[in-house]
Amino acid sequence: MARVHAAEYATLLGQDEQRLRRRPAPEVWSPLEYACHVRDVLLAQRERVLLARRADAPALEPMGRDERVEHDGYNDQQPSDVARQLTDAALLFANVLDRLTPPDWNRTVIYNFPDRQERPLHWLALHTLHELRHHLLDIRRQLET
């Protein structure tokens, strides 16, 4: 499913750059910033799955989602680069999920969102899919207005 959503993001990132970089309000990310965030979520979640396979119930560090917008210059990146990177990140994430055995899906991590709690990898995968869908809707809404 991550691969399918990545293709949808790539299509949306082919639109007018000015619209992709426009924030509807100062506190709301632009479509391009949302796409960069999703790319980084996929990469972070991939590393978290790999960590859970080699350590028992590791405590995960927050990814610094808000800080990354500025620190990585999300809105200054090229949409075509982000589309390619997001597609690659989805492939990398899907690959580690495809390699999980039935017992691996129940391995756990200490996750910080929405509250600090031990979560199985099947929850992490579903949560990540929710993030992809949710932000895809955010981008579509912004580009429709």
Side-chain angles (χ1 to χ4, degrees), residues 84-141:
R84 185 187 68 254
Q85 294 160 358
L86 200 152
T87 299
D88 288 344
L91 292 171
L92 289 165
F93 179 68
N95 178 63
V96 297
L97 295 184
D98 289 345
R99 301 180 63 79
L100 294 175
T101 65
D104 287 336
W105 284 100
N106 292 315
R107 292 189 64 82
T108 60
V109 294
I110 308 300
Y111 208 84
N112 293 303
F113 182 85
D115 54 356
R116 189 171 172 82
Q117 188 174 349
E118 190 168 344
R119 306 262 188 195
L121 289 183
H122 63 83
W123 179 91
L124 184 142
L126 289 173
H127 177 69
T128 305
L129 182 58
H130 166 80
E131 281 283 297
L132 267 70
R133 287 181 179 167
H134 173 79
H135 293 313
L136 196 55
L137 290 173
D138 290 331
I139 290 172
R140 282 187 180 134
R141 284 185 192 120

